[in-house]
DNA sequence: CCGGTTTTTGTGGATTTCCACAAATTCAAC
DNA sequence: GTTGAATTTGTGGAAATCCACAAAAACCGG
């Protein structure tokens, strides 16, 4: 291949025009995506496209399950490593026909992809080389798009921070701002905060941003970072927002781990509200979850939502009162005294029992004792602490005091 | 009987001497008690006494069960009504032989009793008249005793109020004061407060005092009144002080009702402590129980001890926070919204379920529904409120918030 | 009034709890 | 060490819970 045969020389008005040109040259449908698999342009006059391409064009982004399978299959990792074109065999599960892709680079960074759908032909090695040229030719156009986006992004971030810090009080004004920036309104939303082990590097930010952009589980309205935190405004769309948020977090964490080998991610989210004025509150609550996780560790493992913190929501408050003095639980003190004297584990037994929803079997398993042993200990606890095991109220108080004591010891 | 045959004329050095005299005249063992059945004097040279009398002399008070049976049998009510001697047939259950008694009066008030044990003879009508004379003759001596007691009583009350209001801080000083007044120290104690419907009348005070003095279930170290409150310093003697206190209260209230027809008695007691400095705290806690009872009514029926208040202990505190704002429970709000819209009772269902210790059967009975209905509703609650029914923590939070809402509505 | 949804009640069976009692084991104090 | 008390484990049967599924009843919007 000699340089004077480059078919992508010259100027193109738009990336659409460019896509059509590539399509003409290779005689295949062509799609151009940005680094986050959002559709930038696609060739128009194509006779055949597979379901995956159709879905991509309709929703202006690559469906998440397609992205997932391309990660699993290895195509995306390969494209992120090398400038060479990659051929992907058909993946029928997700409606992918056979295709060839190449990544678009700027310096050491991938800023987009060109996908060529091999409808009823296979690209020759020479055509593969042409594709590489196409990727180089696309670079500047894609970059321009980036610049424009970044400028807008900056303004959006500024707005987001104003919302997070309650700088705009009037609901109408907030709505006006959001509309001006083309940010859709949502009937309900919550702030989600991911906290990483260390301050975010540019590399990590790119990876996180990539994951967030490609995730379609939870609509994300806004996004920013702060030190080691990533802050999101998520907008659950079902009437079970907590479940949705939890699922999103789990899957995000899992993907961070398996795709980028980043393990140490904590997460919390605040209350789900429908008034934008409460964004700041949701943010505070998300931070409260993270602060509690730091302290309580195991006790609230797997809990991300402020709403699911349960009694821990007001622990700081109770602790304050406890420190003021006049907060005693004689029952607990007696149990502790007994434990100390007889090297027993009554307090822990009770705590575990409640941690496991008063389920005898489960608790006995966790403690490695016979269920009857557990029953015996509970009766013993009732005697020693003068606790009526049929009185939920008293049991709750003891449980809270046990947790509070732990909390106090740490906090 | 002519007046010049009165065998109890003249002076007696002491009540003991007087008792001996009566015993000589009637040829029977004689016991003199004050209005509260405390032993004042008894005749010495008796050949035979029944177990009840022995016990009375040993412990310097009439055993409670003897008093109880004399109330039931009717002797004491009769003695309180009339100045005539009363004959009591043997009550073997409590070791009482046949005896005759007469009350000692001052104006319209009974200030003591003379008991004559009919060992192996029966008093003749004439002797019965002599007994009446004996009662009259005893009056002044008994009164003197009262005066002395009252003076001491005043000083003791003053001390008690100092303790209740934390006017003496040093433990040693408190002990010294108590010792100076012959008040025994106790390893543990708590303040008990009975609150009546209206300010106490002299009449009621006498009745209450009577009951307290004759009660031997719970050792009472100190006693005073304040408006409609009766304040006690009780000293439980077992290692299950709460049970002891509860039993005492139940029995006190029952006796107030059946003997004096006083129904409207509320009661609360504070924490059980072993340091006198904490008397004031226990008092505050007892008052807190009463205040909560006023507000919560049914919710803490049958609860008297501060320790058994459970979560209500910190309800005032939480309410304060709630009123400051930023206290929301979306789960509860959703349930309430659902209830309003569908005229259902999900919130009440959950509350009742927890009130009854998560017992399905019991709750279903109380709500008059099929157990499966309850199960269905709970599942519904879990869906609507996005509540994990296996997570005690979340359930507790919801329960607290439900109670808190009720509490707020009232308080 | 209809048709569909929600709610209540019913049935049956596997599993779990509850309870009382007994045997085995551990612990502590003398 | 021995002894007695406290603790753990075991057994068995009655009762309760859990679960899935189905029929009946109540409710609601058009």
């Amino acid at each position: 291949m000699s340089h004077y045969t480059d078919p992508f020389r010259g100027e193109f008005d738009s990336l659409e025009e460019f896509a059509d040109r590539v399509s003409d040259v290779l005689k295949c449908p062509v799609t151009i995506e940005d680094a986050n698999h959002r559709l930038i342009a696609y060739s128009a006059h194509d006779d055949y496209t597979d379901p995956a391409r159709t879905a991509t064009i309709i929703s202006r982004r690559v469906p998440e399950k397609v992205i997932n399978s391309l990660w699993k299959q290895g195509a995306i990792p390969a494209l992120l490593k090398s400038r060479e074109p990659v051929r992907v065999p058909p993946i029928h599960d997700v409606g992918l026909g056979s295709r060839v892709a190449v990544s678009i680079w700027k310096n050491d960074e991938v800023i987009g992809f060109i996908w060529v759908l091999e409808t009823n032909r296979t690209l020759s090695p020479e055509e593969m080389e042409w594709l590489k040229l196409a990727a180089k030719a696309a670079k500047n156009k894609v970059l321009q798009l980036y610049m424009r986006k970044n400028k807008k992004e900056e303004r959006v971030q500024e707005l987001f921070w104003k919302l997070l810090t309650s700088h705009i009080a009037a609901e109408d004004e907030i709505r006006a701002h959001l509309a001006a920036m083309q940010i859709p309104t949502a009937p309900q939303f919550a702030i989600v905060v991911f906290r990483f082990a260390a301050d975010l590097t540019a590399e990590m930010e790119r990876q996180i941003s990539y994951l967030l952009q490609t995730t379609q589980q939870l609509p994300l309205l806004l996004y920013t970072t702060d030190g080691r935190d990533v802050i999101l405004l998520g907008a659950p769309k079902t009437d079970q927002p907590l479940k949705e948020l939890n699922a999103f977090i789990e899957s995000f964490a899992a993907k961070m781990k398996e795709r980028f080998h980043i393990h140490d991610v904590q997460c919390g989210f605040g209350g789900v509200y429908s008034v934008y004025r409460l964004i700041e509150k949701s943010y505070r609550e998300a931070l409260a979850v993270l602060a509690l996780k730091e302290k309580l560790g195991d006790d609230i493992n797997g809990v991300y939502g402020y709403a699911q913190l349960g009694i821990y929501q007001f622990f700081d408050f109770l602790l304050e009162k406890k420190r003021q003095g006049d907060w005693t639980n004689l029952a607990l003190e007696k149990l502790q005294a007994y434990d100390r004297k007889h090297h027993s584990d009554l307090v822990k037994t009770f705590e575990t029992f409640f941690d496991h929803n008063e389920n005898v079997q489960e608790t006995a398993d966790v403690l490695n004792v016979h269920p009857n042993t557990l029953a015996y200990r509970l009766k013993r606890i009732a005697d020693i602490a003068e606790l009526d095991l049929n009185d939920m109220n008293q049991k709750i108080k003891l449980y809270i005091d046990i947790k509070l004591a732990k909390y106090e010891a740490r906090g």
Side-chain angles (χ1 to χ4, degrees), chain A:
Chain A
M1 171 201 61
S2 53
H3 65 278
Y4 54 78
T5 65
D6 184 346
F8 308 114
R9 285 215 173 174
E11 286 295 311
F12 297 93
D13 278 352
S14 67
L15 268 163
E16 273 70 29
E17 200 181 315
F18 178 76
D20 281 335
R21 182 67 208 269
V22 179
S23 174
D24 282 347
V25 171
L26 300 180
K27 300 179 192 66
C28 286
V30 165
T31 322
I32 305 179
E33 303 164 5
D34 72 6
N36 296 322
H37 308 297
R38 277 166 197 276
L39 183 71
I40 297 178
Y42 56 98
S43 59
H45 38 76
D46 305 321
D47 36 4
Y48 170 78
T49 64
D50 61 14
R53 186 162 184 269
T54 311
T56 301
I57 293 171
I58 297 294
S59 64
R60 303 205 56 78
R61 63 205 317 204
V62 183
E64 193 176 355
K65 63 176 181 180
V66 175
I67 299 174
N68 287 342
S69 67
L70 287 171
W71 270 91
K72 289 219 183 82
Q73 183 270 340
I76 293 182
L79 287 167
L80 291 175
K81 264 205 202 116
S82 123
R83 286 156 206 250
E84 293 303 315
V86 170
R87 169 165 286 114
V88 184
I91 307 178
H92 300 296
D93 284 356
V94 293
L96 268 178
S98 172
R99 53 189 65 196
V100 173
V102 69
S103 38
I104 304 169
W105 292 72
K106 189 229 165 187
N107 301 336
D108 285 340
E109 194 179 328
V110 173
I111 62 171
F113 305 93
I114 303 178
W115 288 89
V116 180
L117 185 51
E118 295 181 303
T119 45
N120 33 23
R121 57 192 303 273
T122 305
L123 296 198
S124 68
E126 191 184 13
E127 289 170 322
M128 298 282 262
E129 285 303 317
W130 285 348
L131 189 53
K132 275 179 73 174
L133 291 178
K136 275 189 189 151
K139 171 185 155 188
N140 282 330
K141 277 276 170 221
V142 174
L143 255 181
Q144 278 171 29
L145 218 67
Y146 259 48
M147 297 304 185
R148 276 206 298 281
K149 268 204 178 164
N150 279 342
K151 275 204 190 121
K152 185 190 164 197
E153 188 54 31
E154 266 173 36
R155 291 204 317 280
V156 170
Q157 292 236 351
E158 205 185 313
L159 172 64
F160 193 17
W161 274 109
K162 280 185 184 163
L163 295 176
L164 287 175
T165 52
S166 241
H167 261 67
I168 315 179
E171 194 70 9
D172 292 344
E173 197 184 338
I174 299 175
R175 282 177 191 280
H177 274 106
L178 290 172
M181 296 184 182
Q182 324 285 347
I183 297 161
T185 64
Q188 55 179 3
F189 52 77
I191 294 292
V192 183
V193 176
F194 289 100
R195 178 163 294 171
F196 293 82
D199 279 10
L200 297 166
T201 61
E203 166 78 2
M204 279 168 78
E205 261 195 61
R206 219 171 27 250
Q207 292 168 340
I208 293 163
S209 167
Y210 174 84
L211 267 192
L212 294 176
Q213 305 269 355
T214 54
T215 286
Q216 288 148 41
Q217 261 182 50
L218 180 75
L220 297 173
L221 305 187
L222 291 164
Y223 159 92
T224 188
T225 62
D226 176 28
R228 33 199 283 243
D229 291 357
V230 174
I231 306 166
L232 313 172
L233 182 65
K237 39 193 190 304
T238 67
D239 62 347
Q240 303 227 323
L242 303 182
K243 290 209 173 63
E244 233 180 307
L245 287 159
N246 269 316
F248 163 70
I249 287 163
E250 300 268 1
S251 105
F252 179 84
K255 280 180 191 153
M256 278 310 281
K257 198 175 297 183
E258 74 194 30
R259 291 199 191 153
F260 304 118
H261 308 290
I262 296 176
H263 297 262
D264 230 0
V265 193
Q266 292 290 31
C267 177
F269 64 88
V272 177
Y273 303 109
S274 47
V275 181
Y276 288 102
R277 196 168 25 80
L278 294 176
I279 285 178
E280 183 247 348
K281 184 175 176 190
S282 192
Y283 178 46
R284 257 190 298 124
E285 289 171 347
L287 292 182
V289 172
L290 285 166
L292 273 168
K293 270 177 174 287
E294 199 127 319
K295 267 196 202 174
L296 289 168
D298 292 342
D299 284 333
I300 50 172
N301 233 337
V303 169
Y304 304 108
Y306 187 77
Q308 287 138 330
L309 276 184
I311 55 174
Y312 295 112
Q313 277 180 33
F314 49 83
F315 255 39
D316 275 315
F317 198 61
L318 290 190
L319 193 57
E320 189 187 313
K321 185 172 172 68
K322 191 172 176 183
R323 290 211 168 119
Q324 278 171 22
D326 66 32
W327 179 289
T328 40
N329 187 332
L330 220 73
L332 177 54
E333 281 169 24
K334 280 188 186 170
L335 289 179
Q336 286 168 335
Y338 193 90
D339 276 352
R340 266 195 306 277
K341 188 165 171 193
H342 296 85
H343 311 288
S344 51
D345 267 328
L346 296 186
V347 173
K348 190 184 164 197
T349 301
F350 184 85
E351 183 188 356
T352 311
F353 186 52
F354 249 58
D355 280 342
H356 292 84
N357 196 33
E358 294 195 298
N359 183 311
V360 176
Q361 201 103 315
E362 222 179 295
T363 312
D365 284 350
V366 172
L367 294 176
N368 283 315
V369 295
H370 193 278
N372 284 357
T373 304
L374 178 58
Y376 171 76
R377 285 194 195 164
L378 288 173
K379 202 190 290 279
R380 213 73 192 69
I381 289 171
D383 284 346
I384 293 169
E386 286 196 270
L387 178 76
D388 183 353
L389 286 176
N390 294 315
D391 185 345
M392 186 54 83
N393 194 11
Q394 286 180 46
K395 289 191 290 186
I396 289 177
K397 180 67 184 356
L398 179 57
Y399 184 61
I400 289 181
D401 279 330
I402 290 173
K403 293 293 190 188
L404 201 55
K406 277 173 82 171
Y407 185 71
E408 189 182 22
R410 292 181 207 175

